[in-house]
Coordinates of all heavy atoms in Angstrom, one line a residue:
F275 N 194.0 85.5 21.9 CA 195.0 84.6 22.4 C 195.2 84.7 23.9 O 195.0 85.8 24.5 CB 196.4 85.0 21.7 CG 196.6 84.4 20.3 CD1 197.0 85.3 19.3 CD2 196.3 83.1 20.0 CE1 197.3 84.8 18.1 CE2 196.5 82.6 18.7 CZ 197.0 83.5 17.8
E276 N 195.5 83.5 24.4 CA 196.1 83.5 25.8 C 197.5 83.1 25.6 O 197.9 82.2 24.9 CB 195.3 82.4 26.6 CG 193.9 82.8 26.9 CD 193.1 81.7 27.6 OE1 193.7 80.6 27.7 OE2 192.0 81.9 28.1
F277 N 198.4 83.8 26.4 CA 199.8 83.5 26.4 C 200.0 82.4 27.5 O 199.8 82.5 28.7 CB 200.6 84.7 26.8 CG 202.1 84.5 26.8 CD1 202.8 84.1 25.6 CD2 202.8 84.6 28.0 CE1 204.1 83.9 25.6 CE2 204.2 84.5 28.0 CZ 204.9 84.1 26.8
V278 N 200.4 81.2 27.0 CA 200.5 80.0 27.8 C 202.0 79.8 28.1 O 202.8 79.8 27.2 CB 200.0 78.7 27.1 CG1 200.2 77.5 28.0 CG2 198.5 78.9 26.8
H279 N 202.3 79.7 29.4 CA 203.7 79.5 29.8 C 203.8 78.5 30.9 O 202.8 78.2 31.6 CB 204.4 80.8 30.2 CG 203.7 81.6 31.2 ND1 204.1 81.7 32.5 CD2 202.5 82.4 31.1 CE1 203.2 82.5 33.2 NE2 202.3 82.9 32.4
L280 N 204.9 77.9 31.1 CA 205.1 76.8 32.1 C 206.0 77.4 33.2 O 207.2 77.6 33.1 CB 205.8 75.6 31.5 CG 205.2 75.0 30.3 CD1 206.0 73.8 29.8 CD2 203.7 74.6 30.6
S281 N 205.3 77.8 34.3 CA 206.0 78.6 35.4 C 205.8 77.9 36.7 O 204.9 77.1 36.9 CB 205.5 80.0 35.4 OG 205.8 80.7 34.2
G282 N 206.6 78.3 37.7 CA 206.5 77.7 39.0 C 207.7 78.0 39.9 O 208.1 79.1 40.0
A283 N 208.2 77.0 40.5 CA 209.3 77.2 41.5 C 210.0 75.8 41.7 O 209.5 74.8 41.2 CB 208.8 77.7 42.8
W284 N 211.1 75.8 42.4 CA 211.7 74.6 42.8 C 210.7 73.7 43.6 O 210.0 74.2 44.4 CB 212.9 74.8 43.7 CG 213.6 73.6 44.2 CD1 214.2 72.6 43.5 CD2 213.7 73.2 45.6 NE1 214.7 71.6 44.3 CE2 214.4 72.0 45.6 CE3 213.3 73.8 46.8 CZ2 214.7 71.3 46.8 CZ3 213.6 73.1 48.0 CH2 214.3 71.9 48.0
L285 N 210.6 72.4 43.3 CA 209.6 71.5 43.8 C 208.2 71.7 43.1 O 207.3 70.9 43.4 CB 209.5 71.5 45.3 CG 210.7 71.2 46.1 CD1 210.4 71.3 47.6 CD2 211.4 69.9 45.8
K286 N 208.1 72.7 42.3 CA 206.8 72.9 41.7 C 206.9 73.5 40.3 O 206.4 74.5 39.9 CB 206.0 73.9 42.6 CG 204.5 73.8 42.5 CD 203.8 74.8 43.5 CE 202.3 74.6 43.5 NZ 201.9 73.3 44.0
E287 N 207.7 72.8 39.5 CA 208.1 73.3 38.2 C 207.0 73.1 37.2 O 206.1 72.2 37.3 CB 209.4 72.6 37.7 CG 210.6 72.8 38.5 CD 210.8 71.9 39.7 OE1 209.9 71.1 40.1 OE2 211.9 71.9 40.3
R288 N 207.0 73.9 36.1 CA 206.3 73.8 34.9 C 204.8 73.6 35.1 O 204.2 72.7 34.6 CB 206.9 72.7 34.0 CG 208.2 73.1 33.5 CD 208.9 72.0 32.7 NE 209.1 70.8 33.5 CZ 209.9 70.6 34.5 NH1 210.7 71.6 34.8 NH2 210.0 69.5 35.1
Q289 N 204.2 74.5 35.9 CA 202.7 74.6 36.1 C 202.2 75.4 34.9 O 202.7 76.4 34.6 CB 202.4 75.2 37.4 CG 203.1 74.7 38.6 CD 202.7 73.3 39.0 OE1 201.5 73.1 39.3 NE2 203.6 72.3 39.0
I290 N 201.1 74.9 34.3 CA 200.5 75.6 33.2 C 199.8 76.9 33.6 O 198.9 76.8 34.4 CB 199.6 74.7 32.4 CG1 200.3 73.5 31.8 CG2 198.9 75.4 31.2 CD1 199.4 72.4 31.1
K291 N 200.3 78.0 33.1 CA 199.6 79.3 33.4 C 199.2 79.9 32.0 O 199.9 79.7 31.0 CB 200.6 80.2 34.0 CG 201.4 79.7 35.2 CD 200.5 79.5 36.4 CE 201.3 78.9 37.6 NZ 202.4 79.7 38.1
A292 N 198.0 80.5 32.0 CA 197.5 81.2 30.8 C 197.0 82.6 31.1 O 196.2 82.8 32.0 CB 196.3 80.3 30.2
T293 N 197.6 83.5 30.3 CA 197.3 85.0 30.6 C 196.6 85.6 29.3 O 197.3 85.6 28.2 CB 198.6 85.7 30.9 OG1 199.2 85.1 32.0 CG2 198.3 87.2 31.2
P294 N 195.4 86.0 29.3 CA 194.8 86.7 28.1 C 195.6 87.9 27.7 O 196.1 88.7 28.5 CB 193.4 87.1 28.6 CG 193.1 86.2 29.8 CD 194.5 86.0 30.5
L295 N 195.8 88.0 26.4 CA 196.6 89.1 25.8 C 195.7 90.4 25.8 O 194.5 90.4 25.5 CB 197.0 88.8 24.4 CG 198.1 87.7 24.2 CD1 198.6 87.7 22.8 CD2 199.2 87.9 25.2
T296 N 196.4 91.5 26.2 CA 195.8 92.8 26.0 C 197.0 93.7 25.4 O 198.1 93.2 25.2 CB 195.4 93.5 27.3 OG1 196.5 93.5 28.2 CG2 194.3 92.6 28.0
Q297 N 196.6 94.9 25.0 CA 197.7 95.8 24.4 C 198.8 96.0 25.5 O 198.5 96.3 26.6 CB 197.1 97.1 24.1 CG 198.1 98.0 23.4 CD 197.4 99.3 22.9 OE1 196.2 99.4 22.8 NE2 198.2 100.3 22.6
G298 N 200.0 95.7 25.0 CA 201.2 95.8 25.9 C 202.0 94.6 25.7 O 201.9 93.8 24.8
T299 N 202.9 94.4 26.7 CA 204.0 93.3 26.6 C 203.9 92.4 27.8 O 203.8 92.9 28.9 CB 205.4 93.9 26.4 OG1 205.4 94.8 25.3 CG2 206.4 92.8 26.3
F300 N 204.0 91.1 27.6 CA 204.1 90.1 28.7 C 205.3 89.3 28.4 O 205.5 88.8 27.3 CB 202.8 89.2 28.7 CG 202.8 88.3 29.9 CD1 202.2 88.7 31.1 CD2 203.4 87.1 29.9 CE1 202.1 87.9 32.2 CE2 203.4 86.3 31.0 CZ 202.7 86.7 32.2
R301 N 206.1 89.1 29.4 CA 207.4 88.3 29.2 C 207.7 87.4 30.4 O 207.3 87.7 31.5 CB 208.5 89.3 29.0 CG 208.7 90.4 30.1 CD 210.0 91.2 30.0 NE 210.2 91.7 28.7 CZ 211.4 92.4 28.4 NH1 212.3 92.5 29.3 NH2 211.6 92.8 27.2
V302 N 208.4 86.3 30.0 CA 208.9 85.4 31.0 C 210.4 85.1 30.6 O 210.7 85.2 29.4 CB 208.1 84.1 31.2 CG1 206.7 84.3 31.6 CG2 208.1 83.3 29.8
G303 N 211.2 84.7 31.6 CA 212.6 84.5 31.2 C 213.4 84.0 32.4 O 212.8 83.8 33.5
S304 N 214.7 84.0 32.3 CA 215.6 83.5 33.3 C 216.9 84.3 33.2 O 217.4 84.5 32.1 CB 215.9 82.0 33.2 OG 216.8 81.7 34.2
L305 N 217.4 84.7 34.4 CA 218.7 85.4 34.5 C 219.6 84.6 35.4 O 220.5 85.2 36.1 CB 218.6 86.8 34.9 CG 218.0 87.8 33.8 CD1 217.6 89.1 34.4 CD2 219.0 87.9 32.7
K306 N 219.3 83.3 35.6 CA 220.0 82.5 36.6 C 221.2 81.7 36.0 O 221.9 80.9 36.7 CB 219.0 81.5 37.2 CG 217.8 82.2 37.8 CD 216.8 81.2 38.3 CE 217.2 80.5 39.6 NZ 216.1 79.7 40.1
G307 N 221.5 81.9 34.7 CA 222.6 81.1 34.1 C 222.1 79.8 33.6 O 222.8 79.0 33.0
A308 N 220.8 79.5 33.9 CA 220.1 78.3 33.4 C 218.7 78.6 33.1 O 218.2 79.7 33.4 CB 220.2 77.2 34.5
S309 N 218.0 77.7 32.3 CA 216.7 78.1 31.9 C 215.8 78.2 33.1 O 214.8 79.0 33.1 CB 216.1 77.0 30.9 OG 216.4 75.7 31.4
G310 N 216.0 77.5 34.2 CA 215.4 77.8 35.5 C 214.2 77.0 35.9 O 213.5 76.5 35.1
H311 N 214.0 77.0 37.2 CA 212.7 76.4 37.8 C 211.5 77.3 37.6 O 210.4 76.8 37.5 CB 212.9 76.1 39.3 CG 214.0 75.2 39.7 ND1 215.3 75.6 39.8 CD2 214.0 73.9 40.0 CE1 216.1 74.6 40.1 NE2 215.3 73.5 40.2

């Protein structure tokens, strides 16, 4: 598997990123009070 997520920044939202899985943990999220840019 590749872990696919939509990441970026203000003015550059939801760029497709893909990270091959290896043993361990990969996480994305938001602590901004909103789902976030």
Side-chain angles (χ1 to χ4, degrees):
F275 280 132
E276 296 175 348
F277 182 62
V278 178
H279 52 106
L280 305 180
S281 299
W284 177 63
L285 301 182
K286 206 175 185 67
E287 295 89 346
R288 291 174 304 287
Q289 311 288 303
I290 298 176
K291 310 287 178 64
T293 304
L295 293 189
T296 59
Q297 185 176 343
T299 302
F300 188 92
R301 53 170 49 185
V302 296
S304 175
L305 288 168
K306 304 175 75 174
S309 48
H311 299 82

